[in-house]
Amino acid sequence: MSVQSSRAHITLSTLNKLHAEGKKFASLTAYDACFTQILNQADVEVILVGDSLGMVLQGHDSTLPVTMQDMVYHVACVKRGNSRAFIMADMPFMSYSTDSETLDNAASLMRAGAEMVKLEGGAWLASSTRLLAERGIPVCVHLGLTPQSINQIGGYMVQGRADKQAETMYQDALALENAGASMVLLECVPTSLAKRITEALNIPVIGIGAGPHTTGQVLVLHDILGISPIRPKFVKNFLAGTEGDITRAIQNYAEDVREGRFPGPEHSFN
């Protein structure tokens, strides 16, 4: 049964208003109803049901084995536990390779409770983005380090350090906004590039390992609680010093994001 709340539900309009006012918002991953309720209590604005569940929950070494069935199941779990946050869901590997697959799979996620879908790629996603946006499905496009392309990239490394790659990413972001994207997520890109893209777009930009200048920040929940076996440079353990209070740790993360205290230089890339 869904948890009821007197607080207003966060919508895309809410996030656009925060962006227009120069205010920041916090996002975290969640994959079940229990943690979703805790994120609601901690006032996290955006919940990402990420295909990161393949590594965090399922024990795979990448996100590639995650299926649409997996994603629909976990989106539905999060929806049942949610009372306030805006829910974004990943389209898993090869679930948007054709127009018909894109529409059918995005519709499945929206029926399960998503309010936005996230696709990984560059300007080549413009037609898919336009297709979804024209049919009322908000799209977030994921640029930079795109885990679904890990075999092509060759490893989990910072993207956009070379001038040519940085310019391509910048132009991709502009093209995708023009195609109807409602949001952009930048992963593992230099702070200066993330700042340039954020300032050029009229839509919110969420960063993970992208420095402090983006509209929002997102991290994997298990990472900020210090229970992941590997902790990337852009992660901070917010559970440390809270005597094991998970809700307080998540509140600290959300407050630090909104106040601009996180991420710091030690969590960012030059």
Side-chain angles (χ1 to χ4, degrees):
M1 182 174 63
S2 295
V3 176
Q4 299 300 315
S5 172
S6 60
R7 295 175 297 168
H9 183 80
I10 301 293
T11 66
L12 182 56
S13 294
T14 310
L15 301 176
N16 284 331
K17 185 172 186 291
L18 291 172
H19 174 69
E21 294 174 349
K23 297 178 180 177
K24 298 182 180 294
F25 59 81
S27 176
L28 280 173
T29 61
Y31 316 106
D32 60 39
C34 180
F35 270 118
T36 295
Q37 292 171 23
I38 295 174
L39 265 60
N40 281 187
Q41 294 167 12
D43 289 330
V44 171
E45 286 91 350
V46 179
I47 291 175
L48 170 60
V49 186
D51 58 3
S52 51
L53 66 88
M55 302 173 77
V56 176
L57 300 185
Q58 297 175 336
H60 297 299
D61 61 2
S62 75
T63 64
L64 303 186
V66 177
T67 66
M68 270 303 302
Q69 184 178 5
D70 294 333
M71 292 304 305
V72 168
Y73 172 81
H74 286 282
V75 170
C77 291
V78 168
K79 172 64 175 178
R80 286 191 287 271
N82 190 49
S83 60
R84 180 172 185 263
F86 184 78
I87 300 175
M88 183 194 310
D90 274 341
M91 298 274 285
F93 179 63
M94 291 301 290
S95 65
Y96 42 101
S97 58
T98 67
D99 285 356
S100 60
E101 286 179 331
T102 300
L103 290 172
D104 289 346
N105 289 327
S108 294
L109 291 174
M110 299 294 282
R111 291 189 189 103
E115 294 161 280
M116 172 178 279
V117 297
K118 180 165 73 65
L119 288 66
E120 295 184 13
W124 61 269
L125 284 173
S127 61
S128 297
T129 299
R130 187 175 294 107
L131 183 71
L132 292 170
E134 288 174 350
R135 286 155 178 79
I137 298 177
V139 176
C140 174
V141 180
H142 184 151
L143 302 173
L145 174 58
T146 48
Q148 291 178 16
S149 302
I150 194 62
N151 289 320
Q152 185 177 48
I153 294 172
Y156 296 95
M157 58 191 74
V158 179
Q159 302 296 303
R161 278 185 164 148
D163 290 346
K164 182 177 179 180
Q165 190 183 46
E167 184 61 25
T168 296
M169 199 183 305
Y170 175 79
Q171 294 298 334
D172 284 353
L174 295 178
L176 290 162
E177 179 183 32
N178 187 58
S182 296
M183 196 175 296
V184 167
L185 186 148
L186 300 175
E187 180 171 358
C188 286
V189 304
T191 295
S192 58
L193 177 57
K195 182 176 187 289
R196 182 186 178 206
I197 292 173
T198 301
E199 291 175 348
L201 300 183
N202 295 309
I203 55 177
V205 177
I206 295 179
I208 174 170
H213 302 295
T214 56
T215 316
Q217 299 289 334
V218 65
L219 286 176
V220 172
L221 174 62
H222 295 64
D223 286 348
I224 75 159
L225 298 179
I227 56 177
S228 297
I230 299 174
R231 194 170 78 201
K233 169 186 170 70
F234 53 77
V235 170
K236 176 181 176 180
N237 182 352
F238 282 87
L239 189 62
T242 67
E243 298 182 347
D245 187 335
I246 291 176
T247 302
R248 182 68 252 172
I250 296 170
Q251 286 174 335
N252 288 346
Y253 163 73
E255 290 169 4
D256 281 2
V257 168
R258 285 191 286 265
E259 295 300 321
R261 294 188 293 266
F262 179 85
E266 67 274 25
H267 310 115
S268 307
F269 301 100
N270 295 322

